[in-house]
Amino acid sequence: MRFIPQHIGMYDYIYLPFTEIIDILKCEMNWSDAAGSVEHLDCHLHDIPFYKDTLRIPYITKYTFHSSGTYPAGTYDKGTGASEGRS
Amino acid sequence: MSDIKRCTRCILPESLSNITFDEEGICNHCRKYEADFKNWDSIKERKFKEFEEILEKAKKLKRPYDVLVPLSGGKDSTYALYLCTKIYGLKTLAVTLDNGFLTRPAKDNIRNALASCNADHIFYSINSKNSSELFKIFTEKTGDFCNACMRGINYSIEFAAKSFNIPLVIKGSGRRVQSVSQIKEVSSLNTASYFANVIRGTDAGNKFRYLSADKNKLEFQKIAGGGSVIFLA
Ligand SMILES: [Zn+2]
């Protein structure tokens, strides 16, 4: 029979606020946010698609889609977003 | 500050095509999110139980590895690795694709995370000269190169899962927290067939044709919320 692994996204089953996750990772996995950003620190080209969105769609900043995804899930709040200049 | 209309919940602007707002000023994407995911607080206990049941099933199969974790060195995939190894004690294979542009902090985090747990690891590194060539073709033909990289990641997951007969892949992601990135205006096409169509007839055609192989068809499974076909082997 054909082999198909189950393929799941962890956050659909289990969720902690990301600040708690960062604390755990620093302590347990010797993880570092290096340049001070905890988002997408893994790829040198990461900013390009977000820059492209700002060219493609008026009133979009490089933060918009990330922020918009986190508000409905309750994982970020607009006060924090506004204070960081993210919209 | 512009006076453009925005969703009162998620701040998406009216400049996004296909966005609509209801009488409360809430956008169609937020309403879809509500319909799809409801109130997390009301379902989180059940989802957590489901998660543990899935892990138990995988363990019982007694395969060489219980779980595969795609590891980029970012916080989410490292947290998935932490859960699998240090909380649930699963036999874990981590898999990293270096697309030629993996950052030094990410590489450090990968090394540190592996030293902090007992997972084995496969590091598949595409030479940046080759990936640059591929990304150039993708950008010229489609305006985007992330899909090329996503195909590489999926391929390395499929390859490792098949090779070691691993029954479960846990990604550091989730539809619930990434709903916006799945809306049509920003979502990615990363299927093998899309990849094959883009590189056909280009210089990258021969070099990267292997990435078009989709024998395991991970992309056709539902990514989250369970419901995918499991444990057929
Ligand atoms: Zn909204």
Side-chain angles (χ1 to χ4, degrees), chain B residues 138-164:
Chain B
F138 258 78
T139 305
E140 285 171 353
K141 291 189 79 169
T142 73
D144 174 88
F145 59 83
C146 291
N147 292 317
C149 189
M150 289 308 300
R151 178 86 282 274
I153 291 169
N154 280 351
Y155 182 86
S156 59
I157 295 169
E158 292 159 4
F159 179 86
K162 177 97 192 303
S163 301
F164 292 99

Side-chain angles (χ1 to χ4, degrees), chain A residues 1 3-13 28 30-32 39 41-42 44 52 56 58-59 68 78, chain B residues 4 8-10 15 72-73 76 86 101 103 109 143 166-167 169 171 173 175-176 185 221 223-224 226:
Chain A
M1 197 175 274
F3 169 77
I4 305 178
Q6 185 174 27
H7 190 235
I8 62 173
M10 163 184 73
Y11 290 136
D12 286 314
Y13 295 89
E28 295 282 338
N30 199 10
W31 190 88
S32 167
E39 296 295 338
L41 56 74
D42 43 9
H44 281 300
K52 201 188 71 186
R56 212 160 49 92
Y59 301 101
S68 296
K78 278 181 248 191
Chain B
I4 188 168
T8 54
R9 183 172 294 172
C10 77
S15 53
S72 73
D76 301 313
K86 299 185 91 167
F101 297 92
T103 62
N109 282 336
I166 304 173
V169 176
K171 298 179 90 173
S173 60
R175 285 193 309 159
R176 200 181 72 83
E185 287 78 2
Q221 298 184 47
I223 287 176

